[in-house]
């Protein structure tokens, strides 16, 4: 059967509108035999993007800036607005630039925890899973674009959407890039209401953008003393222990003949006659057993001054290293690794005076997860920010080491008759207290962690149609986006000249961003740059210049080319958005495609 002929016949059918034809063509195009299929439910916030472009507008009075003349601290960012709009804007500022993503999305329990098009989704909604998948798939596809090549994403979830989320992430990130399903002990006192099981665990799915050779770290072994050198599931090996390199805790004088010693589980076979006098071995020990080390490993550890200890006549050796390297994390996350439960998370929020937030995560969990990433300077994103636990976790981790930057996105959810209740009343206020210091509700004072800055933004919009007036308006509104992208926030326009047609900003390490809003002043801009560079020869300046097309006026800026990098506005923004925004014309007929999923609810086809 010729698929193209069928598609052509559908397009020629009379009595069907374009949406109906598109639906039929989508069915014909489907080749998917395994995986998630669902009916895509239109989302209001996506429909806005058919005619509008998102930008970010700074709320300057909420900025917390602690930089000095000589020190520049991480610029953490809090964005208020729908996370689909914010993620779209971040594709311009941070595409391929986010190293770690942690999110705690709605679990879709049907208990007023998931809002779709301003309505809570309950358990009786027959499209409950479709709406959740539609919601998540759009956001996760953008999240992947934001991740760096060695980026990793952690997603908290429970069993309401675990299966759907796993398959969705297998499609978006590819199954080969799945790392682990970590299991977190959320409570030690689960409810007794269920007649089937007590739920103590939640899950954290972990994917990399592309499989890397990074070794996850961040954990130092707890209670490292007296680690056994025998392990029952290992193969038998024969090791020779030099008498002068091992410690004997066996009191008195003994002669041990060759043979079997120890228990069935930790059996060793002594190969030579062994003499002990006054708590010392008089000859080497040659033992056969299920050792965790080879002879080479043993000799290497002895060189490192690792203690090898024999405590009794069972001759089961143990070891104690002077220094323990961080361990690769186990897939069970609980108090053994210093990670608290939800009960502790609620107490943490109460310390800030926050009492009405359901299902919080403890700081220790987020710190634990982001500490896996084996770098100390990176950018972290949480686009389901809630109370801002991820920011506090990042700041706490920076106290130990590193210079991580955290970006939070918090939906402007209405509560208690306040439209932006969560970002304004909870997320921002908590961040402010963490940075500036505060007194908990129990009277305990928490020292400021003021080697951090916070910038507060709201999602805003401009017209999407690329007319010349709209292009000029987008260029004007792009200032905050450019400051975020270049990490330059301090305006020093007066260092060039106080003119309305340009702005000049600086950041750390002699880095600058220069915005020229009107291409009629390019010649004057070049002269101003020449004078500035003469005084500041090490300056590196990113120059954004308005252009009605893609030309960034490279020839005009040739005299200062060594100190600048050019980009045309708003073309650079249009290019960043082009693969993210929905089509402007909703009514279109798709062409023949290789893979297009059929849209039914919550199906898994075999």
């Amino acid at each position: 059967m010729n698929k193209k002929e069928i598609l052509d016949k559908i397009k020629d059918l009379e009595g069907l509108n374009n949406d109906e034809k598109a639906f039929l063509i989508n069915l014909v195009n489907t080749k998917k035999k395994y995986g998630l299929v669902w009916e895509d439910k239109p989302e209001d916030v996506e429909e806005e993007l058919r005619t509008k472009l998102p930008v970010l507008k700074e709320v300057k009075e909420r900025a917390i800036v602690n930089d000095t003349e000589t020190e520049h601290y991480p610029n953490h960012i809090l964005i208020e607005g729908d996370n689909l709009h914010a993620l779209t804007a971040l594709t311009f500022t941070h595409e391929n630039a986010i190293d770690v993503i942690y999110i705690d999305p709605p679990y879709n329990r049907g208990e007023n925890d998931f809002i779709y098009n301003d309505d809570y989704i309950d358990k009786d909604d027959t499209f409950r899973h479709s709406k959740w998948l539609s919601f998540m798939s759009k956001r996760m596809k953008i999240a992947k674009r934001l991740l760096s090549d060695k980026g990793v994403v952690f997603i908290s979830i429970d069993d309401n959407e675990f299966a759907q989320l796993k398959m969705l992430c297998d499609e978006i990130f590819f199954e080969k890039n799945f790392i682990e399903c970590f299991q977190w002990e959320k409570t030690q006192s689960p409810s007794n209401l269920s007649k089937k099981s007590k739920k103590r665990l939640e899950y954290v799915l972990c994917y990399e953008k592309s499989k890397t050779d990074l070794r996850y770290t961040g954990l130092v072994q707890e209670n490292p003393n007296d680690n056994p050198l025998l392990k029952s599931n290992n193969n038998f090996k024969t090791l020779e222990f030099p008498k002068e390199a091992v410690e004997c805790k066996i009191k008195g004088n003994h002669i041990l003949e060759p043979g079997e010693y120890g228990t069935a589980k930790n059996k060793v076979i002594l190969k030579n006659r062994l003499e002990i006098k006054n708590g010392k071995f008089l000859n080497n020990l040659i033992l056969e057993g299920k050792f965790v080390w080879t002879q080479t490993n043993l000799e290497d550890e002895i060189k490192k001054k690792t203690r090898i200890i024999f405590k009794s006549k069972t001759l089961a050796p143990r070891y104690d290293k002077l220094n323990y390297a961080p361990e690769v994390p186990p897939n069970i996350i609980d108090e053994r690794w210093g990670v608290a439960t939800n009960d502790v998370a609620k107490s943490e929020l109460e310390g800030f005076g926050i009492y009405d937030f359901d299902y919080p995560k403890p700081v220790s969990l987020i710190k634990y997860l982001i500490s896996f990433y084996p770098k100390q300077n990176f950018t972290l994103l949480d686009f389901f920010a809630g109370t801002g636990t991820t920011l506090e976790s990042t700041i706490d981790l920076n106290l130990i080491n590193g210079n991580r930057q955290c970006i939070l996105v918090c939906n402007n959810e209405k509560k208690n008759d306040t439209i932006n209740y969560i970002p304004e009343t909870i997320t921002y206020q908590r961040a402010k207290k963490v940075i500036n210091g505060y007194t908990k509700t129990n009277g305990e004072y928490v020292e400021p962690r003021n080697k951090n800055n916070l910038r507060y933004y709201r999602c805003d919009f401009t017209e999407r149609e690329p007319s010349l007036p709209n292009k000029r308006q987008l260029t004007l509104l792009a200032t905050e986006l450019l400051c975020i992208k270049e990490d330059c926030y301090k305006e020093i326009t007066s260092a060039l000249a106080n003119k309305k047609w340009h702005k000049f900003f600086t950041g750390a390490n002699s880095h600058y961003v220069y915005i020229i809003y009107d291409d009629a002043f390019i010649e004057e801009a070049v002269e101003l740059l020449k004078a500035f560079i003469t005084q500041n020869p090490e300056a590196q300046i990113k120059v954004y210049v308005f252009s009605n097309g893609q030309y960034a006026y490279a020839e005009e800026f040739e005299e200062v080319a060594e100190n600048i990098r050019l980009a045309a506005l708003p073309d650079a923004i249009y290019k960043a958005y082009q693969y993210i925004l929905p089509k402007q014309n909703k009514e279109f007929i798709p062409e023949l495609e290789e893979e297009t999923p059929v849209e039914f609810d919550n199906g898994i086809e075999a």
Side-chain angles (χ1 to χ4, degrees):
M1 188 177 293
N2 189 311
K3 181 186 284 189
K4 190 171 188 314
E5 289 180 3
I6 295 175
L7 293 173
D8 290 338
K9 288 179 180 179
I10 292 174
K11 292 177 184 179
D12 293 336
L13 283 175
E14 296 182 2
L16 296 178
N17 62 35
N18 282 346
D19 284 342
E20 292 167 334
K21 291 180 181 180
F23 180 78
L24 291 175
I25 290 173
N26 193 38
L27 293 181
V28 174
N29 272 329
T30 300
K31 285 187 174 181
K32 195 170 190 179
K33 298 300 181 185
Y34 174 82
L36 274 178
V37 288
W38 73 90
E39 181 171 336
D40 189 48
K41 309 302 288 183
E43 192 174 354
D44 292 346
V45 292
E46 184 181 28
E47 294 304 304
E48 288 183 73
L49 298 178
R50 296 191 190 279
T51 58
K52 304 288 186 182
L53 292 177
V55 293
L56 299 177
K57 186 174 182 179
E58 185 173 9
V59 183
K60 293 185 182 294
E61 62 270 21
R62 292 194 179 159
I64 303 171
V65 182
N66 291 310
D67 284 347
T68 67
E69 289 297 321
T70 58
E71 292 186 279
H72 296 272
Y73 301 126
N75 286 299
H76 308 297
I77 294 169
L78 172 56
I79 303 172
E80 169 195 308
D82 189 273
N83 53 15
L84 184 63
H85 297 155
L87 287 169
T88 302
L90 289 172
T91 57
F92 172 64
T93 63
H94 283 82
E95 187 165 12
N96 297 318
I98 302 294
D99 300 292
V100 178
I101 293 176
Y102 170 78
I103 55 172
D104 186 14
Y107 284 6
N108 203 15
R109 296 182 174 99
E111 300 172 354
N112 292 343
D113 69 318
F114 174 43
I115 297 176
Y116 199 83
N117 290 344
D118 295 328
D119 291 323
Y120 283 104
I121 305 303
D122 60 38
K123 290 183 178 179
D124 297 326
D125 190 325
T126 55
F127 288 98
R128 171 185 166 202
H129 297 289
S130 273
K131 290 174 180 176
W132 192 87
L133 285 166
S134 297
F135 175 86
M136 288 297 294
S137 64
K138 298 179 183 79
R139 289 155 178 81
M140 295 311 298
K141 287 174 182 176
I142 301 176
K144 182 180 180 181
R145 298 184 72 92
L146 297 179
L147 279 177
S148 64
D149 291 340
K150 292 191 175 183
V152 58
V153 57
F154 299 97
I155 312 169
S156 286
I157 200 67
D158 73 357
D159 50 9
N160 284 280
E161 295 288 358
F162 173 84
Q164 289 86 336
L165 179 63
K166 176 65 169 65
M167 296 192 76
L168 178 67
C169 289
D170 282 347
E171 289 186 3
I172 293 173
F173 294 97
F174 307 130
E175 188 174 359
K176 66 181 181 180
N177 295 321
F178 170 68
I179 302 300
E180 185 57 84
C181 172
F182 293 99
Q183 299 167 67
W184 167 54
E185 186 180 46
K186 68 174 181 177
T187 181
Q188 295 179 343
S189 53
S191 171
N192 285 315
L193 296 178
S194 172
K195 296 180 180 180
K196 306 300 181 184
S197 68
K198 295 181 179 181
K199 296 184 183 299
R200 296 179 61 175
L201 301 177
E202 284 187 6
Y203 313 105
V204 181
L205 286 176
C206 177
Y207 285 80
E208 291 182 339
K209 185 172 183 177
S210 56
K211 190 65 77 70
T212 72
D213 58 357
L214 291 177
R215 184 179 188 272
Y216 289 179
T217 60
L219 303 174
V220 176
Q221 183 176 333
E222 298 289 330
N223 302 317
N225 293 332
D226 291 343
N227 296 282
L229 256 176
L230 292 165
K231 197 169 185 179
S232 59
N233 59 349
N234 280 22
N235 295 324
F236 276 96
K237 305 181 188 72
T238 299
L239 300 183
E240 181 171 354
F241 296 83
K243 61 181 181 180
E244 68 278 359
V246 298
E247 296 182 23
C248 178
K249 299 291 185 180
I250 306 169
K251 296 181 179 179
N253 301 323
H254 307 275
I255 293 178
L256 303 181
E257 298 294 339
E260 293 185 1
Y261 291 83
T263 64
K265 186 177 180 180
N266 289 317
K267 180 178 70 174
V268 295
I269 302 171
L270 180 63
K271 296 291 190 177
N272 62 317
R273 189 171 184 268
L274 180 63
E275 187 174 352
I276 302 171
K277 189 172 183 179
N278 297 326
K280 290 187 177 181
F281 295 122
L282 298 187
N283 51 306
N284 294 350
L285 296 83
I286 302 175
L287 296 174
E288 183 181 354
K290 294 185 176 183
F291 294 116
V292 297
W293 292 344
T294 64
Q295 186 68 38
T296 300
N297 295 142
L298 173 62
E299 292 168 3
D300 287 343
E301 292 298 332
I302 289 172
K303 290 177 183 177
K304 296 175 184 177
K305 306 298 182 184
T306 296
R307 296 170 62 212
I308 313 295
I309 310 159
F310 289 86
K311 290 187 171 183
S312 70
K313 288 189 287 184
T314 61
L315 298 183
R318 304 181 74 82
Y319 70 92
D320 178 15
K321 294 186 179 185
L322 290 178
N323 296 297
Y324 285 81
E327 289 188 353
V328 170
N331 63 355
I332 301 294
I333 301 175
D334 56 26
E335 63 180 2
R336 288 174 296 176
W337 306 104
V339 177
T341 64
N342 259 336
D343 296 330
V344 173
K346 290 177 182 178
S347 298
E348 290 173 351
L349 290 188
E350 289 171 2
F352 292 99
I354 303 170
Y355 299 97
D356 58 350
F357 200 90
D358 297 327
Y359 311 112
K361 296 295 186 291
V363 169
S364 56
L365 172 64
I366 314 305
K367 283 175 63 177
Y368 180 84
L369 292 171
I370 62 180
S371 71
F372 293 175
Y373 200 71
K375 297 181 181 179
Q376 297 177 0
N377 301 324
F378 60 81
T379 302
L380 170 74
L381 171 64
D382 178 354
F383 53 91
F384 288 98
T387 66
T389 304
T390 304
L391 176 61
E392 183 175 358
S393 304
T394 304
I395 290 174
D396 275 5
L397 208 54
N398 282 349
L399 287 175
I400 302 171
N401 58 47
N403 192 41
R404 303 163 186 84
Q405 180 202 26
C406 182
I407 302 174
L408 301 180
V409 180
C410 192
N411 283 6
N412 43 2
E413 180 178 323
K414 184 174 182 179
K415 192 172 184 180
N416 299 343
D417 295 324
T418 303
I419 293 178
N420 298 324
Y421 176 77
I422 292 178
E424 291 183 345
T425 308
I426 295 180
T427 321
Y428 175 72
Q429 295 301 329
R430 179 182 185 177
K432 185 177 178 180
K433 289 178 179 180
V434 167
I435 294 173
N436 292 340
Y438 67 104
T439 300
K440 291 184 178 180
T441 52
N442 64 4
E444 178 187 350
Y445 180 67
V446 179
E447 294 287 338
R449 284 158 275 186
N450 51 15
K451 291 188 175 182
N452 296 273
N453 302 323
L454 180 69
R455 313 276 176 172
Y456 193 107
Y457 295 86
R458 286 197 181 107
C459 287
D460 202 355
F461 299 92
T462 187
E463 294 299 320
R464 178 171 169 177
E465 186 64 32
S467 65
L468 182 57
N470 288 347
K471 287 182 178 181
R472 291 194 180 279
Q473 180 67 9
L474 176 56
T475 301
L476 287 171
L477 294 175
T479 301
E480 281 92 342
L481 286 173
L482 299 174
C483 289
I484 293 171
K485 182 177 178 64
E486 302 299 333
D487 198 28
C488 289
Y489 296 93
K490 183 178 179 181
E491 185 176 353
I492 55 167
T493 305
S494 59
L496 296 180
N498 286 320
K499 304 283 187 178
K500 291 184 178 180
W501 53 265
H502 70 173
K503 282 190 177 179
F504 195 37
F505 298 87
T506 186
N509 303 319
S510 298
H511 183 54
Y512 303 86
V513 58
Y514 185 33
I515 311 167
I516 303 168
Y517 300 107
D518 191 335
D519 52 347
F521 295 94
I522 288 177
E523 186 176 337
E524 184 176 349
V526 171
E527 293 303 315
L528 292 172
L529 282 176
K530 284 166 61 177
F532 182 81
I533 291 169
T534 300
Q535 298 295 321
N536 303 272
E538 301 300 319
Q540 292 298 311
I541 308 170
K542 184 65 179 287
V543 178
Y544 291 92
V545 56
F546 173 78
S547 173
N548 190 30
Q550 300 180 16
Y551 181 55
Y553 301 97
E555 292 182 9
E556 286 79 354
F557 285 91
E558 189 173 358
E559 292 182 78
V560 291
E562 291 186 5
N563 292 78
I564 71 168
R565 291 177 296 125
L566 277 169
L569 281 180
D571 182 67
I573 299 175
Y574 287 135
K575 285 180 177 177
Y577 287 178
Q578 64 181 330
Y579 298 112
I580 301 300
L581 294 171
K583 293 183 181 296
Q584 286 182 277
N585 182 7
K586 186 180 178 181
E587 293 189 354
F588 73 99
I589 301 178
E591 298 298 327
L592 179 66
E593 298 176 358
E594 288 298 318
E595 287 279 346
T596 305
V598 62
E599 301 171 342
F600 292 118
D601 186 62
N602 192 30
I604 300 178
E605 288 191 358

